[in-house]
């Protein structure tokens, strides 16, 4: 298939490029001001090309929100579980990175969730998946004596989500654009609150450099 920008792309590739463009437009304009014409202009295609893949702006956004949900799930599942301390720290950094990257869509999703029950369910699912995984890690660390939480693991996981959301907002509005600085501060807070016991020799160099 002749692709966007003169490249040969298959159907799935072109659909992904359209959604990449859509993510930029929704982030810039929000839901109400986004149009199919704007999506086509951003992707460098015609409106009929967009309609060949999505029958409405709503369909584009729902597909985009579901893609974000699947990315959160894939990254959470991709964090290793063989070494609990390493896993939980890597999961925290991954959560921050993905939230920073998709902050625009997640913000629009939060707005749409106020009026659309399906969007509310999808938003809750995104956070629930991450929180359940994190809670599981924390339970293991508490059981082995490597962490000492002031609140139940479930409550701390919810609180961490709030912190990550705020840090992602700072990263995207320019107040604190240095991702490594944000990750370093987040892990410092995490270690202090959880009382996490860490043997640096057991950590990867990437995580060790952030501590």
């Amino acid at each position: 298939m002749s692709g966007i920008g003169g490249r040969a792309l298959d159907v799935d590739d072109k659909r992904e490029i359209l959604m990449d463009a859509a993510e930029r437009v929704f982030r810039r304009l929000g839901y109400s001001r986004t149009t199919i014409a704007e999506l086509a202009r951003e992707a460098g295609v015609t409106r009929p090309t967009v309609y060949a893949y999505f029958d409405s702006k709503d369909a584009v956004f729902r597909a985009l929100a579901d893609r974000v949900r699947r990315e959160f799930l894939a990254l959470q599942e991709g964090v290793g579980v063989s070494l609990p301390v390493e896993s939980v720290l890597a999961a925290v950094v991954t959560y921050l990175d993905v939230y920073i990257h998709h902050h625009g869509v997640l913000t629009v999703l939060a707005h749409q969730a106020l009026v659309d029950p399906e969007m509310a369910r999808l938003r809750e699912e995104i956070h629930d998946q991450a929180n359940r995984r994190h809670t599981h890690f924390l339970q293991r660390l508490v059981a082995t004596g490597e962490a000492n939480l002031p609140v139940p693991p479930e409550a701390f996981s919810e609180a961490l989500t709030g912190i990550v959301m705020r840090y992602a907002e700072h990263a995207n509005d320019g107040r604190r654009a240095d991702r490594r600085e944000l990750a370093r501060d987040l892990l410092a807070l995490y270690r202090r609150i959880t009382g996490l016991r860490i043997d640096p020799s057991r950590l990867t160099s990437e995580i060790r450099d952030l501590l």
Side-chain angles (χ1 to χ4, degrees):
M1 175 181 290
S2 178
I4 296 174
R7 288 173 291 165
L9 302 171
D10 62 24
V11 172
D12 289 339
D13 287 340
K14 182 173 280 191
R15 190 174 189 272
E16 287 299 307
I17 288 176
L18 288 173
M19 287 203 292
D20 289 342
E23 182 157 9
R24 295 191 295 271
V25 175
F26 280 116
R27 180 176 63 240
R28 186 171 68 246
L29 301 179
Y31 186 86
S32 62
R33 293 172 56 204
T34 294
T35 63
I36 291 295
E38 287 289 346
L39 298 179
R41 186 177 299 111
E42 181 73 20
V45 299
T46 63
R47 290 173 61 190
T49 298
V50 178
Y51 280 119
Y53 292 86
F54 304 100
D55 59 15
S56 66
K57 175 180 75 173
D58 184 65
V60 177
F61 185 75
R62 290 175 189 277
L64 187 57
D66 186 64
R67 186 175 73 165
V68 172
R69 179 193 66 79
R70 287 184 280 109
E71 183 172 342
F72 267 100
L73 179 60
L75 288 174
Q76 287 291 324
E77 291 182 341
V79 175
V81 296
S82 60
L83 185 59
V85 172
E86 170 59 21
S87 293
V88 73
L89 294 181
V92 169
V93 174
T94 296
Y95 194 28
L96 175 64
D97 286 345
V98 177
Y99 217 107
I100 288 173
H101 181 69
H102 293 300
H103 178 258
V105 169
L106 290 166
T107 299
V108 176
L109 178 60
H111 293 163
Q112 292 306 108
L114 296 174
V115 296
D116 186 329
E118 184 177 342
M119 290 294 101
R121 178 198 58 75
L122 183 57
R123 180 172 184 260
E124 191 67 20
E125 184 177 347
I126 288 172
H127 292 305
D128 278 353
Q129 287 171 344
N131 287 345
R132 284 197 300 269
R133 179 80 167 184
H134 185 213
T135 296
H136 176 64
F137 285 150
L138 289 174
Q139 288 170 339
R140 293 179 61 181
L141 295 176
V142 170
T144 59
E146 294 174 279
N148 181 23
L149 292 172
V151 295
E154 296 86 350
F156 182 74
S157 294
E158 290 285 350
L160 181 73
T161 293
I163 295 172
V164 167
M165 290 169 65
R166 188 63 171 167
Y167 272 30
E169 182 179 332
H170 287 185
N172 279 274
D173 67 15
R175 278 177 284 180
R176 298 184 66 189
D178 188 332
R179 171 264 180 195
R180 286 185 61 83
E181 178 185 333
L182 287 168
R184 187 175 293 113
D185 287 354
L186 182 62
L187 290 184
L189 284 169
Y190 191 91
R191 292 178 63 193
R192 177 63 63 89
I193 295 173
T194 61
L196 202 61
R197 298 179 181 178
I198 296 175
D199 177 358
S201 67
R202 298 171 63 194
L203 303 176
T204 65
S205 59
E206 179 183 2
I207 296 300
R208 191 161 53 243
D209 289 345
L210 292 173
L211 299 180

